[in-house]
Amino acid sequence: MTPLLDAIHSPADVKRLSLSELTRLAEEIRGELITVLSRTGGHLGPNLGVVELTIAMHYVFETPRDHFLFDVSHQAYVHKLLTGRRERFSTIRTPGGLNGFMLRTESEHDCYGAGHAGTALSAALGIAVARDKLGGREHVVALAGDAAFTCGITHEALNNISTQTKRLIIVLNDNKWSIDKNVGAVASYFNKIVTTPQYHRLYERAAKLVEKVGGKSAAQVARKAEEAAKFMLVPSVIFEEFGLKYYGPVDGHDIAELIRTFQFLKTLDRPVVLHVMTQKGRGFEPAEEKQKKFHGLGPYDPETGETAPLGQRTYSEVFADSVANLASGNPRVVAITAAMPNGTALDRFRAVHPDKYYDVGIAEEHAVLFAAGMATQGLKPFVAIYSTFLQRGFDPIVHDVCLQNLPVVFCMDRGGLSGDDGPTHHGLFDISYLRGVPNIVHMDPKDEDELADMLYTAMLHEGPSAVRYPRGVGPGAEVKEKPAAIPIGKAEVLQHSGHDRVAIFSLGAMLPLAREVASALASEGVAAAVINARFAKPLDSAMIALYGRSAEVLLTLEDHALAGGFGSAVLEELSRLGLSTPVIRIGWPDQFIEHGKPDELRKKYGLTAAAALAQIRQHLGITV
Ligand SMILES: Cc1ncc(C[n+]2csc(CCOP(=O)(O)OP(=O)(O)O)c2C)c(N)n1
């Protein structure tokens, strides 16, 4: 039963509620989050942590006139519930349903989309400066988690804010967690602020004052807000040095206190940081206990929080175990993650080799440079970063790793469509952004065993390399005890007849599709060779030349954008060889792909055997 939530159709309805109703609303929202996400999966812990905070923001400010930016925006579900999307909320992350992140096209209350960390402060500053220039008075509020402050960009924005605007409110949502425990000097610094005795003294005085004004009207409370906030002030060197006024820390689950504080902050004519303490997973015991697991997860039991076991190792797990084995035999091997020990499964590596494991925070650009430095000294860094987040590291890949030909290995998890997370998380561009860079080797395994072989090959290779593998589980291939090296740039012929009319070049996990196409053609009397391409760079030129000359048509299959992808590379090679063999390229079209179930999206965008067969038949002049 959610009577209060049911009656909220826009933020105006939040403003009509009394304090005790707001508290009940928070409980209803928690129930809704726990129930809906148990079916759809999603970022439960982060959202349970910001229920009161988001309610207070909507109580005091007025979107869409005022602007809210949420860093990453994985914690914007409560905002969605309060801004006219309650009825569609049960569709979140499902095909055709609400996106799991802020989306400008989804609502006028989403003024800025995100999915990657560290963007909120810079974008909020841009919005604030545009407002100043255009003579507006609306408020801009950027909410960012403590781990967002491990991002370089966040610091670039901080450096710039006080010289550009007088009116910007930054909410530091401090729950001490990234996905794993937040790491580094910034995390210890935030911890120091909240454990200082001075803070506790001031906090008690503020709490007393709050008690005194309790029960009075909102207007009186507002008048007292400045006084209260003054008591809550703790000098915080970092932010003050950046020219921002620092307030806090305040209890992020105390709606009254949050409302009073925002009412005060909104009157200021200077940029401020409000430090809010929240508890990730609050109100759902399994999520309070297992904060890492409940940061983001698939469906679970809404009573116990239990999730179904996967039954076999994921690609990420095979990767982490393989690199751990390599490190056991090679003292030069180290592994680096940018705040994703869980997602990349490097926590398994950490368990075996804690002294060879480095978590640098949400700092992909730094991770790549850090690895480059290590490589100059003879270490062999394996840098595990999702394909989509490695986009952040592009410049140092070019300028530091590849230009200096350093033996760094980029292990790109979630290479390919990522499914229900949507366009911010699909890993559909890494072939195109890497293959134009000299020196790099780009490998794509067909299964788990080949992933282990490729990691071994990368360890032996003396220059930069990248290995890309998909999200989740693979075909379940048994991984050999000892990996074998693969000759760089050599494709593998898996099926041929000597009179193949079609040559199917399949990259990575597209192999089952290649086999499906080949067997359908066989049943129509058409012989087709199946080639596991293995390398997007360097290509197996001899193999392309062989089939470019002997087959009537080539088919390339890739879980990647067609523009600049593997098929494009094959076309370029054919052109270089002076061959004009037709090439049918199957991959993702030149547009951002929405969230959804991978199978359904593949069907929608033609990454299917049927779509490939239709084009092949046309080329061969076959009618069925
Ligand atoms: C560039 C980038 N790297 C990694 C991630 C994966 N990621 C999503 S949320 C998150 C942790 C965010 O922690 P914090 O900002 O403190 O918010 P919380 O979830 O604790 O509320 C990470 C590492 C990302 N979204 N973007």
Side-chain angles (χ1 to χ4, degrees), residues 43 45-47 49-50 71-75 101 114-119 143-151 153 172-180 182 278 280 295 338-341 361-364 385-386 388-390 392 424-425:
H43 289 101
N47 283 286
V50 297
D71 200 83
V72 187
S73 79
H74 61 306
Q75 73 293 61
F101 298 91
H116 289 196
T119 64
L143 182 145
D146 48 304
F149 288 78
T150 64
C151 292
I153 325 175
L172 159 56
N173 171 33
D174 186 358
N175 54 28
K176 299 185 188 300
W177 285 82
S178 183
I179 293 178
D180 220 273
N182 199 10
T278 59
K280 222 165 171 169
H295 171 89
M340 304 290 284
I362 312 178
E364 290 79 8
I385 297 181
Y386 289 8
T388 185
F389 302 142
L390 192 62
R392 279 276 165 84
T424 53
H425 284 58

Side-chain angles (χ1 to χ4, degrees), residues 30 34 45 48-49 52 251 253 279-284 287-288:
R30 285 214 161 80
I34 294 165
L48 288 173
E52 289 82 5
D251 177 353
H253 301 294
Q279 182 191 16
K280 222 165 171 169
R282 188 174 177 101
F284 185 51
E288 288 178 7

Side-chain angles (χ1 to χ4, degrees), residues 120-188:
L121 270 58
S122 297
L125 180 59
I127 291 172
V129 167
R131 170 207 58 204
D132 299 344
K133 256 203 155 8
L134 300 171
R137 287 295 297 166
E138 62 272 20
H139 298 282
V140 183
V141 184
L143 182 145
D146 48 304
F149 288 78
T150 64
C151 292
I153 325 175
T154 300
H155 294 267
E156 292 166 30
L158 282 174
N159 180 50
N160 199 211
I161 288 170
S162 67
T163 55
Q164 302 292 354
T165 189
K166 289 194 161 42
R167 294 181 57 245
L168 176 61
I169 298 172
I170 295 165
V171 180
L172 159 56
N173 171 33
D174 186 358
N175 54 28
K176 299 185 188 300
W177 285 82
S178 183
I179 293 178
D180 220 273
K181 204 83 187 132
N182 199 10
V183 295
V186 168
S188 340

